[in-house]
């Protein structure tokens, strides 16, 4: 049984559900269900290989090795080195994705842990290692959820304060987001480009991070809202960027051109196998 009182099997099933939501391939989802079997039972890699095949056995073996390596490396408290080693240790990026899904579900059930010290250690470890790793791989949804739960656990008063400010702001800014979305849609129609546009308030953790880095208060933040325009090609991206610049002033020193200098994403180092649907 887990500390939540649920049967332990609920954990690997939830990990598989997270992997399914990421549209991972069949082998990854099966390996997600099996990811703790070697570490927590008498099952061997050879048994997994005989029943599920070499590919699934290799992925499970990779997750098992990563877990053992994780325990020894964390003792050294070399966070940045550990993140690099996590990446280099995984010959298949699916191993890392399963590890992230595993951590995400553990974060979702963190509240059931009885030891406050252990809860805070897991939350800090998640902020320092797993959420940056999720960002580097390009899985923003997992990164955001991990940060949200960890932030809430480590700094509950600050989290609640920012959350309440955002709630009040959302009530007054919902129309603003809708209005800007409509304006952006009009501008892109001038270019005859099909695109998807969305607007949102930024997460409490990202706001807190900006406040710390820039040493400013909540009221001094100028980028609490974010808008995303998704197009099909890089030339279209340049066209849309051009029309945005003609209609909105750039804040000096704040604009970053990720078209000419893209963010480094780990997925370009591996073959990521996704399902056909």
């Amino acid at each position: 049984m887990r500390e939540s009182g649920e049967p332990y099997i609920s954990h690997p099933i939830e990990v598989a559900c997270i992997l399914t939501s990421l549209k991972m391939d069949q082998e990854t989802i099966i390996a997600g269900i099996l990811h703790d079997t070697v570490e927590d039972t008498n099952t061997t890699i050879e048994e997994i290989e005989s029943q599920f095949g070499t590919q699934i056995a290799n992925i499970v073996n990779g997750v098992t090795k990563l877990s053992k390596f994780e325990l020894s490396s964390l003792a050294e408290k070399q966070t940045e080195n550990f993140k690099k080693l996590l990446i280099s240790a995984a010959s298949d990026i699916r191993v890392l994705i399963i590890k992230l899904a595993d951590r995400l579900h553990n974060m979702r059930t963190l509240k059931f842990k009885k030891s406050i010290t252990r809860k805070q250690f897991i939350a800090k470890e998640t902020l320092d290692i797993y959420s940056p790793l999720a960002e580097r791989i390009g899985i923003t949804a997992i990164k955001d959820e991990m940060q949200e739960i960890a932030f809430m656990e480590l700094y509950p008063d600050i989290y609640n304060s920012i959350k309440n400010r955002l709630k009040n702001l959302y009530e007054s800014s919902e129309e603003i987001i809708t209005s800007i979305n409509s304006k952006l849609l009009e501008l892109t129609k001038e270019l005859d480009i099909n695109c998807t546009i969305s607007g949102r308030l930024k997460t409490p953790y990202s706001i807190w991070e900006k406040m710390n880095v820039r040493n400013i208060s909540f009221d001094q933040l100028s980028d609490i809202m974010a808008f995303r325009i998704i197009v099909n090609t890089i030339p279209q991206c340049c066209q849309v960027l051009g029309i945005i610049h003609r209609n909105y002033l750039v804040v000096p020193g704040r604009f970053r051109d990720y078209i000419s200098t893209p963010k480094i994403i780990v997925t370009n180092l591996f073959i990521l196998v996704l399902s056909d649907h």
Side-chain angles (χ1 to χ4, degrees), residues 88 93 104 124 154-155 164 168 176 181 197-198 209 270:
S88 62
I93 196 172
L104 178 59
K124 183 72 167 61
L154 291 170
Y155 309 102
N164 288 334
N168 294 333
I176 297 173
N181 275 346
I197 301 174
S198 60
E209 208 172 23
F270 300 92

Side-chain angles (χ1 to χ4, degrees), residues 20 22-26 29 273-277:
T20 302
L22 294 173
K23 299 193 184 328
M24 296 305 298
D25 61 302
Q26 176 176 282
I29 295 167
V273 182
L274 300 175
S275 65
D276 293 330
H277 37 280

Side-chain angles (χ1 to χ4, degrees), residues 13-73:
I13 294 298
E14 287 298 328
V15 169
C17 288
I18 292 168
L19 295 170
T20 302
S21 72
L22 294 173
K23 299 193 184 328
M24 296 305 298
D25 61 302
Q26 176 176 282
E27 286 75 17
T28 308
I29 295 167
I30 294 171
I33 296 173
L34 299 171
H35 77 276
D36 276 337
T37 49
V38 175
E39 189 177 356
D40 294 343
T41 74
N42 294 325
T43 305
T44 64
I45 289 294
E46 290 72 26
E47 287 177 298
I48 291 175
E49 184 173 16
S50 69
Q51 293 189 50
F52 298 97
T54 302
Q55 187 175 171
I56 290 171
N58 287 340
I59 297 172
V60 173
N61 193 35
V63 177
T64 304
K65 286 181 177 178
L66 212 53
S67 297
K68 292 177 181 176
F69 172 71
E70 170 189 16
L71 293 173
S72 61
S73 295

Side-chain angles (χ1 to χ4, degrees), residues 90-220:
S91 58
D92 188 328
I93 196 172
R94 292 176 293 182
V95 171
L96 295 179
I97 293 173
I98 291 172
K99 193 66 190 170
L100 288 172
D102 171 51
R103 174 51 59 114
L104 178 59
H105 182 248
N106 283 332
M107 289 300 289
R108 286 175 177 175
T109 56
L110 186 64
K111 61 186 176 184
F112 295 109
K113 286 205 167 293
K114 296 178 177 62
S115 168
I116 294 175
T117 303
R118 181 64 182 160
K119 283 165 69 174
Q120 293 190 334
F121 174 83
I122 293 170
K124 183 72 167 61
E125 177 185 277
T126 300
L127 276 185
D128 290 345
I129 295 169
Y130 289 99
S131 75
L133 183 62
E135 181 175 32
R136 197 172 295 184
I137 289 176
I139 312 178
T140 307
I142 286 183
K143 178 209 74 171
D144 287 346
E145 189 175 350
M146 282 182 175
Q147 287 178 340
E148 179 95 351
I149 300 169
F151 183 35
M152 186 167 45
E153 176 60 40
L154 291 170
Y155 309 102
D157 292 340
I158 301 173
Y159 172 83
N160 288 327
S161 174
I162 294 176
K163 192 78 174 174
N164 288 334
R165 294 290 295 272
L166 285 175
K167 182 181 177 182
N168 294 333
L169 186 61
Y170 185 78
E171 290 171 358
S172 61
S173 65
E174 190 173 6
E175 289 184 7
I176 297 173
I177 292 175
T178 303
S179 173
I180 294 174
N181 275 346
S182 299
K183 174 66 175 175
L184 293 174
L185 190 59
E186 283 178 30
L187 293 174
T188 54
K189 279 183 178 177
E190 292 178 25
L191 300 171
D192 195 26
I193 291 175
N194 289 324
C195 61
T196 302
I197 301 174
S198 60
R200 62 178 175 84
L201 291 176
K202 293 195 174 179
T203 64
Y205 180 76
S206 68
I207 288 173
W208 181 69
E209 208 172 23
K210 289 175 190 298
M211 289 166 60
N212 276 342
V213 169
R214 300 181 203 169
N215 195 26
I216 57 177
S217 68
F218 184 95
D219 294 326
Q220 292 172 300

